[in-house]
């Protein structure tokens, strides 16, 4: 099945962390034809978290081995509401730090290597201070014994989001002590909305390589965008259904310099259905599907499990 794209592309989507925790996530990923996935350890909008069940983790790992998912490529995403950038309210900043610390402990226990984090929102303080706060928070969270890598996500620039260009990300990275334990997660929708033309992705990569280094890119979120370049909106669209367009996304997905980087779809559901199985098919076949909605209805109609 993977011969279509060579057996090299590491592709999946975000999936829920269900009743059976990592096992549920892995099963969903397999149902989409994926060979990796990204999960939240609970709802992305809140910080309510259940204990990790070691037995379920064990079953998940066995299931992943049987189904050719390499756990090294599996990604966790921290909830949106933690904010490392602003410490005006000491309790909130400290809460974000301790939550992320605990989250890293939970995923370390599961054997997950990466956690994607939104750098944060500066709110009412100046950018530089906000960026320094992010680094300081991370310096409080990780030390030389930390195993998972924190991946700072490139943001769209909605509101007072930090990490909206190469220079902000570089500034954060420069102030981090354990530099080998922090990387970057690109997001094509966010890049587009922050002002990067994905049609000129090579020139972005060139600049990224000069300033930060391509080896820092450990994950790429593949999303089309509902809004034009530079709109600072952050609304994801299905592949080929947005302003970036299918061909430009295919070029990112198949980029020879990013071959080993896990690619994760965070595209919206179409009606009642998750689009990932058919979007992964589009990617493998390098062919846009203009009938996504109809085909999903046909695929999932009357089926209870997906
Ligand atoms: Fe994200
Ligand atoms: Fe993302
Ligand atoms: Zn987004």
């Amino acid at each position: 099945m993977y011969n279509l794209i060579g057996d090299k592309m590491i592709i999946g989507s975000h999936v829920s962390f269900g009743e059976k925790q990592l096992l549920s996530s892995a099963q969903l990923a397999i149902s989409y034809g994926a060979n990796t996935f990204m999960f939240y350890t609970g709802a992305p909008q809140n910080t309510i978290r259940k204990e990790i069940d070691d037995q379920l983790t064990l079953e998940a790992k066995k299931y992943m081995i049987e189904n050719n998912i390499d756990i090294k490529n599996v990604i966790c995403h921290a909830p949106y509401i933690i904010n490392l950038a602003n410490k005006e309210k000491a309790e909130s900043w400290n809460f974000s730090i301790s939550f992320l610390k605990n989250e890293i402990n939970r995923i370390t226990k599961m054997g997950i290597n990466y956690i994607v984090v939104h750098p944060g929102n500066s709110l009412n303080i100046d950018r530089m201070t906000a960026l320094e706060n992010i680094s300081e928070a991370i310096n409080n969270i990780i030390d030389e014994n930390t195993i998972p890598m924190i991946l700072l996500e490139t943001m769209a620039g909605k509101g007072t989001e930090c990490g909206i260009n190469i220079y902000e990300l570089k500034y954060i990275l420069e102030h981090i002590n354990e530099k080998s334990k922090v990387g970057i997660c690109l997001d094509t929708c966010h890049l587009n909305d922050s002002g990067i033309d994905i049609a000129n992705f090579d020139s972005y990569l060139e600049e990224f390589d000069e300033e930060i280094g391509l080896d820092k890119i450990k994950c790429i979120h593949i999303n089309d965008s509902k809004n034009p370049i530079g709109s600072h909106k952050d609304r994801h669209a299905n592949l080929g259904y947005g302003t970036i367009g299918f061909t430009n996304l295919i070029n990112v997905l198949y980029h020879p310099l990013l071959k080993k980087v896990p690619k994760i779809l965070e595209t919206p559901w179409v009606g009642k259905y998750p689009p990932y199985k058919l979007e992964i098919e589009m990617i493998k076949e390098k062919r846009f599907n203009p009938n996504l909605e109809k085909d999903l209805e046909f695929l999932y109609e009357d089926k209870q499990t997906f």
Side-chain angles (χ1 to χ4, degrees), residues 118 153 155-156 187 189-190 221 223 234-236 266:
H118 294 180
E153 183 165 354
M155 302 309 289
D187 182 310
C189 169
H190 299 177
H221 292 165
N223 306 303
D234 189 7
R235 293 191 61 214
H236 302 185
E266 299 173 301

Side-chain angles (χ1 to χ4, degrees), residues 78-126:
Y80 311 137
I81 57 158
I82 65 168
N83 185 11
L84 306 177
N86 186 304
K87 53 178 188 180
E88 301 262 277
K89 279 195 201 137
E91 350 47 288
S92 338
W93 193 65
N94 289 329
F95 174 80
S96 292
I97 289 174
S98 72
F99 181 86
L100 204 49
K101 248 186 209 166
N102 286 330
E103 194 77 334
I104 287 175
N105 290 337
R106 277 190 286 269
I107 68 166
T108 304
K109 229 175 124 187
M110 288 189 275
I112 303 298
N113 278 344
Y114 299 110
I115 180 161
V116 173
V117 176
H118 294 180
N121 298 293
S122 59
L123 305 176
N124 55 333
I125 63 166
D126 73 276

